[in-house]
Each structure stands twice: as structure tokens, then as C-alpha cells.
Amino acid sequence: LLAIWLQWVNTMVWFPTCLATLAGTLAYLFDPALLHHPTFLVTFSLTTFWIMTILNMRGIKESARIASVATMLGMVIPMVLIIVLSVLWVATGKPTAVHLTKAALLPALSHKTTWTSLTAVITAFLGMELATVHIRKIHNAHSLFPKALVCAILLIILTMGFGSLGVAMVVPHHEIALVAGTMQAFDRLFDGFHVHWLEHVLGVMLIFGSLATMVNWLISPANGLAQAAKDGYLPKALAKENKHGVPSRLLFVQGIVVSLVASVFFLMPSINGSYWLLIDLSTELYLLMYVLMFLAAIKLFFSFKHILFIPFGKAGYILMTLLGLVGCCIAITIGFFPPTGIDVGSASHYLTLFGGGLIMMISPVVLLIAYKMLFHTETV
């Protein structure tokens, strides 16, 4: 219950960041000044979120169809395009904001900024295990899932890695707006190659990409939590499904939670600061779930003879889980350090909001578990 709760509640924190990116992209197309107005970001974000929630009420097949098309249009194509244009930018001798020297390419581990940026890197890989909530609906899943995960990892490394490098090469780091960095890069690239008319086309595609990202995250964690409710770990009323097999009550509850979390944009001194706080808090919650997942993997190692295919057999299996645990613990520790270069207010203000957010998100399930243990209840 604790693991699936952490997986679910982290999305409640992450959704406002994805929605803010969507709103930021739209604002950049029509009025870039809106990027600095939290009222616009929150209003537009929540309106979009509730529309997507209603669409998800129609079931996983409809969601998957929307996500597949939107992912190709709004994520894969723009990522490839920004990589290609960045290469052409360098090849044609245009000025770059980053110089690819040996010193620049290797991370400076003695600098605090290098370690805090690890949070953003890890965020790109969160949710690799999310699709497994649908594993019973997939034919030949034991063969397809490992292959799909390898493909996903390679795709993430190539697109996110080189795509982020493309943004950094075109836009000076102190000018990047976290909610619209991609659009800033495309704006400069299109200006440099005299095809500025493409900006609006790409903007619409990126909006589709943001919507695709949200579709699967809206329904998958809710399905996992609904299963916990069916097993008696949560009020069974939350597990009730509509005629499309969707836990509609849970989707409604998470809509309310996301609406409350989005208010953080009014509590920080800058939009970038609000965005980073939510990313940091979401990553922290998810990493706590991964700690439980890696511990469960070690437990499974001693409980079952046959495990999923892992390189180098049992030694590789143990090495993978131990590296996972160590990596999670390092990243969790780093999360408590405010970033430099982003206006998050004072360190005490940031830590108060960050620590308070962790307590608010984790305490409900901890209290529920304690109640069940004290009163030995079989169902809630």
C-alpha cells in the first residue's frame, strides 16, 4: 500500500509541472509575458486537467489511442527536429551558448549545482515500471515487456539527452524558462534558419506531446490504487468502476488533489522556483517508492527460483538492485538542498515548503496503515 500510494501521490505533485509546461508553450506562442503570471498558468492548467480527466473516464483503449498519436506528433518528432537543427546550427558556425570542451562535458562533482541537477536527470526515467499495471491485458507480456523497456530507455537517453543539449547550446542557461525552454530553443533556431513560421506548428505539436504525457499518467497510477482498495487497504468505495472499467471516483479525487497542489505557483517568488519545487518533491516521493521496489526485488530473489532475465544472472541481479538502492539514497539526500541559479526564496522558505509537502503527501497513508495495524481490520 505504501509503495502504490507513493507512486500515485507523486503524480499529484508532478501533474502541475506538466500542465505548466503545456500552458507555458501556449503562452510563448501568443504572449510570452504570460509565462510570469501564475494566475494564467494555474487557470489554464487546471481547465486542461479536468478535461483530460473526463476523457479518461472512457477507458484505457481510448486513452492509449490518444497517447500513441499525440506522443509521435508532440514528443518524438519535435525531439528529433531540435536535435537535427542544433547539429546544423553548430555545423554552420552559428554562436553557441555552450562550448563542448572536455571540461564542459565532464560533470564537476565538487560543485553543488552538478548534484542538484541530478534531480532533473532522474525525473526523465521515472515511471519506467508504470506500464506493468496493464500487464494482465498484454499477450506474451513476459517477452514483450523487457524488450519494450530496453527500447524506452534507449529512446529516453537519445531524445532527452541530445534534445536538452540542443536547448542548452542555443539558449543561455540564465535565460531558460523551465516551463517553456523548448519553445525558446525553437524560436532561436527558426529565427537563425529564417523559418520562423514553423514556430506555431511546433507549438501545437508540443501541446499534443504534453497531453500525451498526461494521458497514461492520469489513469495508470489510479488503477494501481484502485487495486489496493479492492484488496481492502483503502475504502472499497474508491475502487468502484464505471461502465468503461475506469475507477472514476479515484480520478475525481486525484483531480481535487491536483487542483490544491497547483496553488504552489502562488507560494514561490518565481515560476521557475515553483516548477523546480514541484519537480523536486515529485521525484523525492517517487524515489521513496523505488527504495521499496528494490527491497522487494531483493526479497523476491530469495523467494523464487525463476526471475526475469537479467544480464550476468544472479550476480547481475544483486548488483542492479544494490546500485538502484544506492542511487536512490543519494538522490533523496540531494533533494533537500535548494538549487542555485533558480529563485526559490530563502533556503528556510524552500525547505519549509519541501518538507511540509512531503509530510502532507505521505502522512495520510501512514496514518491509515497505523490504524489497520492497531485495530487489525481486514477491510476499510
Side-chain angles (χ1 to χ4, degrees), residues 17-176:
T17 67
C18 188
L19 291 162
T21 301
L22 174 64
T25 301
L26 190 68
Y28 200 88
L29 292 176
F30 297 99
D31 185 4
L34 291 173
L35 290 172
H36 306 290
H37 290 272
T39 302
F40 165 76
L41 290 177
V42 173
T43 302
F44 180 83
S45 297
L46 292 183
T47 301
T48 304
F49 180 80
W50 279 103
I51 292 174
M52 295 300 296
T53 296
I54 294 171
L55 289 176
N56 267 277
M57 296 289 186
R58 297 184 59 83
I60 187 63
K61 289 185 178 180
E62 290 296 324
S63 300
R65 189 176 295 114
I66 295 172
S68 298
V69 175
T71 298
M72 181 58 66
L73 286 176
M75 295 185 72
V76 177
I77 294 177
M79 284 285 192
V80 171
L81 184 59
I82 201 170
I83 293 170
V84 172
L85 290 178
S86 299
V87 172
L88 291 176
W89 184 275
V90 175
T92 53
K94 297 183 184 297
T96 59
V98 174
H99 300 287
L100 299 180
T101 62
K102 182 179 179 181
L105 289 173
L106 295 176
L109 299 180
S110 60
H111 294 171
K112 177 186 172 184
T113 306
T114 302
W115 288 101
T116 54
S117 64
L118 181 62
T119 299
V121 174
I122 288 176
T123 302
F125 293 90
L126 295 179
M128 294 298 296
E129 79 299 331
L130 190 65
T132 54
V133 299
H134 308 300
I135 200 166
R136 294 179 181 177
K137 303 175 183 178
I138 304 297
H139 179 67
N140 199 26
H142 71 282
S143 175
L144 290 178
F145 262 92
K147 295 176 183 177
L149 286 175
V150 170
C151 291
I153 291 170
L154 293 175
L155 188 62
I156 289 172
I157 292 174
L158 291 174
T159 57
M160 298 292 283
F162 288 104
S164 298
L165 181 60
V167 173
M169 293 183 69
V170 178
V171 185
H173 70 89
H174 60 276
E175 296 181 14
I176 295 177

Side-chain angles (χ1 to χ4, degrees), residues 45-324:
S45 297
L46 292 183
T47 301
T48 304
F49 180 80
W50 279 103
I51 292 174
M52 295 300 296
T53 296
I54 294 171
L55 289 176
N56 267 277
M57 296 289 186
R58 297 184 59 83
I60 187 63
K61 289 185 178 180
E62 290 296 324
S63 300
R65 189 176 295 114
I66 295 172
S68 298
V69 175
T71 298
M72 181 58 66
L73 286 176
M75 295 185 72
V76 177
I77 294 177
M79 284 285 192
V80 171
L81 184 59
I82 201 170
I83 293 170
V84 172
L85 290 178
S86 299
V87 172
L88 291 176
W89 184 275
V90 175
T92 53
K94 297 183 184 297
T96 59
V98 174
H99 300 287
L100 299 180
T101 62
K102 182 179 179 181
L105 289 173
L106 295 176
L109 299 180
S110 60
H111 294 171
K112 177 186 172 184
T113 306
T114 302
W115 288 101
T116 54
S117 64
L118 181 62
T119 299
V121 174
I122 288 176
T123 302
F125 293 90
L126 295 179
M128 294 298 296
E129 79 299 331
L130 190 65
T132 54
V133 299
H134 308 300
I135 200 166
R136 294 179 181 177
K137 303 175 183 178
I138 304 297
H139 179 67
N140 199 26
H142 71 282
S143 175
L144 290 178
F145 262 92
K147 295 176 183 177
L149 286 175
V150 170
C151 291
I153 291 170
L154 293 175
L155 188 62
I156 289 172
I157 292 174
L158 291 174
T159 57
M160 298 292 283
F162 288 104
S164 298
L165 181 60
V167 173
M169 293 183 69
V170 178
V171 185
H173 70 89
H174 60 276
E175 296 181 14
I176 295 177
L178 297 181
V179 297
T182 305
M183 282 305 302
Q184 287 178 300
F186 274 122
D187 181 56
R188 298 202 179 197
L189 287 168
F190 290 155
D191 270 345
F193 291 112
H194 309 292
V195 286
H196 198 267
W197 58 271
L198 279 174
E199 183 180 50
H200 284 75
V201 177
L202 258 295
V204 173
M205 292 173 69
L206 288 171
I207 290 173
F208 272 103
S210 297
L211 294 175
T213 303
M214 284 191 297
V215 166
N216 194 41
W217 281 92
L218 263 168
I219 196 168
S220 295
N223 277 335
L225 202 62
Q227 185 60 51
K230 290 177 183 177
D231 293 340
Y233 290 100
L234 291 170
K236 288 195 173 182
L238 292 176
K240 187 175 180 180
E241 298 178 346
N242 62 15
K243 64 180 181 179
H244 299 291
V246 175
S248 52
R249 292 183 179 179
L250 266 176
L251 287 184
F252 183 75
V253 169
Q254 77 178 19
I256 295 175
V257 176
V258 169
S259 300
L260 293 174
V261 172
S263 64
V264 76
F265 282 98
F266 298 108
L267 303 178
M268 295 292 285
S270 69
I271 297 297
N272 275 357
S274 302
Y275 189 93
W276 183 266
L277 174 65
L278 291 174
I279 283 289
D280 196 6
L281 184 57
S282 172
T283 304
E284 199 85 352
L285 291 165
Y286 217 131
L287 286 171
L288 290 172
M289 189 282 291
Y290 277 144
V291 169
L292 297 176
M293 188 178 71
F294 283 120
L295 291 174
I298 294 174
K299 172 68 165 60
L300 289 173
F301 178 81
F302 295 102
S303 302
F304 295 91
K305 293 182 179 179
H306 303 289
I307 311 178
L308 291 176
F309 300 104
I310 298 292
F312 308 110
K314 293 182 178 180
Y317 186 95
I318 292 295
L319 179 62
M320 294 269 189
T321 53
L322 291 178
L323 285 175

